[in-house]
Amino acid sequence: MELDSLYQEVILDHYKRPLNKSLAANPDAQVHHVNTSCGDEVTLNLHLEGDRVSKVTWEGVGCSISQASTSVMTDLLIDKSAADALALVEEFQAMLQSKGKDSGNEDHLQDGVAFAGVSKFPARVKCALLGWMAFKDALQQALKNK
Ligand code: ZN
């Protein structure tokens, strides 16, 4: 898989030094998502304060794409409103499903654009989306429980 070298560095950096990787207690929702095609796993704890995403913490194992993408996601979505966070997840998902046509809006997705090139490799798209889909699931559950 050939990705832009700057983007490879962003991914490697997050893989080596993942952000928010340690589950915080008493979450509003906890989910466990698995990407069976690659063997990636993520457990994600979500804390809301009112309508604001106050904490997103996680544990996981798997390939560098899945783990780095989850790290990037937490950094981007913490402190966003539930609606803004959901819009960003959908924007990231659209980029990953664009088959290389959508290079991503860096103002919105920040380090998330590093994964734009992954959209050209269908087998890896699920790796990049794993943590983001886990977040979306957790957010829906947390909102329902309020
Ligand atoms: Zn993977």
Side-chain angles (χ1 to χ4, degrees), residues 35 38 40 63 66 124 127:
N35 171 21
C38 181
D40 311 317
C63 69
S66 69
R124 308 309 299 280
C127 302

Side-chain angles (χ1 to χ4, degrees), residues 9 96 99 139:
E9 214 167 290
L96 261 298
K99 301 186 169 67
L139 182 62

